[in-house]
Amino acid sequence: EWSFMMKARILLASCLLVFSNLQAANLIIGVESISYLPFSDVKGKEFQGFYRELLDKFAADNGHTITYRPLPIKRLTNDFVEGKVGFKIPDNAVWAQGMKAGKNISYSTPITVYTDGIMVKPGAKGKPYGDLASIVTVRGFTPFPFLTDIEAGKLKLNEANSLDQVVKMVDGGRVNGGFVNVTVATYFLDNVLNSAGKLVYDDSLPKGVSEISLSSNGQSDIIKEFDAWMNSNQSWVNSLKTKHQVE
């Protein structure tokens, strides 16, 4: 009887070990290899920022490990769709819809939002939209809310090589406003330039708001697990957002 009980316990322990190994996974998460603080940054090859802290905590709490794969934005989307990376952050169901068609893509409940809008000098906030004659944005960034007026010649679009140049052009009066991610620009002004309030967000002007999720190509079970974890850790997530100045 003792022998039978011992065998049963060993078998049960083996089953539990196998079960726990099935639950734990190494998640290959594709991330953007750009500086986009407070959301994310890549220093050397090290992924940093709000997303990193959030996902590391999720993985630790659920027994997973994570391999972050920093990639240029276009290649990241391509590798994700092809299944070379299993997850992607940031993502939105509207982005790259054509490439994602027919793929088994799932999205988490929104984690945060990207608000893309116009930053102006404090004295210019609230002026009529008709007074906006010229804007600047970082090269490669598309000012979707203003495309119709830009194409019609009603609004002049300038492009800069960096967020720093955008700030200088607006502050120097060379353009009326800068079309940027408001959270990123505010963080940059506050923490990099130490110039809080030099430019302010004019929420009376057109803007674009995108809900941001963690997405998966074929591993919807992990997305469900992530959603449940987010739901049961709301106060911790909110404190992390406060720490990183994330909307």
Side-chain angles (χ1 to χ4, degrees):
E1 185 183 335
W2 178 87
S3 175
F4 173 77
M5 289 299 290
M6 282 299 291
K7 284 177 181 175
R9 283 178 183 171
I10 290 167
L11 182 63
L12 178 62
S14 300
C15 288
L16 287 171
L17 185 63
V18 170
F19 182 71
S20 66
N21 284 344
L22 283 172
Q23 298 304 298
N26 180 47
L27 314 177
I28 311 294
I29 302 182
V31 297
E32 297 174 345
S33 60
I34 58 171
S35 180
Y36 218 59
L37 289 172
F39 298 107
S40 64
D41 195 7
V42 177
K43 292 271 173 70
K45 291 188 176 180
E46 191 70 18
F47 185 54
Q48 302 175 353
F50 167 73
Y51 294 144
R52 172 74 192 251
E53 279 199 55
L54 179 78
L55 293 168
D56 278 359
K57 175 84 164 112
F58 160 68
D61 286 355
N62 290 276
H64 303 307
T65 54
I66 296 178
T67 300
Y68 293 103
R69 196 72 57 77
L71 293 163
I73 293 173
K74 285 184 179 176
R75 189 180 156 198
L76 169 57
T77 302
N78 192 62
D79 282 11
F80 174 65
V81 168
E82 289 183 2
K84 293 177 182 174
V85 293
F87 299 85
K88 179 179 182 293
I89 196 166
D91 209 350
N92 178 292
V94 174
W95 299 354
Q97 280 181 309
M99 291 177 70
K100 291 172 178 175
K103 303 290 182 180
N104 186 20
I105 312 291
S106 53
Y107 299 88
S108 73
T109 301
I111 299 164
T112 183
V113 298
Y114 281 179
T115 299
D116 300 319
I118 298 289
M119 301 281 283
V120 298
K121 291 166 79 169
K125 182 175 179 178
K127 286 189 176 179
Y129 176 46
D131 288 359
L132 194 69
S134 60
I135 61 171
V136 61
T137 193
V138 177
R139 200 176 308 280
F141 206 63
T142 306
F144 288 109
F146 300 94
L147 287 182
T148 303
D149 284 344
I150 290 166
E151 286 162 4
K154 294 177 183 175
L155 184 63
K156 180 171 169 37
L157 174 65
N158 298 268
E159 291 186 316
N161 291 323
S162 67
L163 189 53
D164 189 36
Q165 284 186 4
V166 169
V167 171
K168 284 175 181 171
M169 286 180 72
V170 178
D171 185 51
R174 291 169 59 192
V175 292
N176 299 133
F179 183 77
V180 289
N181 180 293
V182 175
T183 304
V184 173
T186 303
Y187 183 93
F188 183 73
L189 284 161
D190 293 357
N191 299 283
V192 180
L193 298 182
N194 295 314
S195 301
K198 179 179 274 191
L199 301 182
V200 295
Y201 169 46
D202 192 339
D203 56 2
S204 70
L205 296 173
K207 60 184 177 288
V209 179
S210 305
E211 293 183 329
I212 301 302
S213 297
L214 170 70
S215 61
S216 167
N217 187 351
Q219 297 183 62
S220 60
D221 54 331
I222 300 289
I223 295 296
K224 287 174 186 170
E225 185 179 52
F226 178 73
D227 280 347
W229 176 84
M230 285 273 290
N231 193 47
S232 59
N233 288 274
Q234 281 181 348
S235 61
W236 182 87
V237 172
N238 287 337
S239 67
L240 187 69
K241 287 180 177 180
T242 301
K243 173 188 169 183
H244 285 279
Q245 301 170 32
V246 165
E247 193 172 349

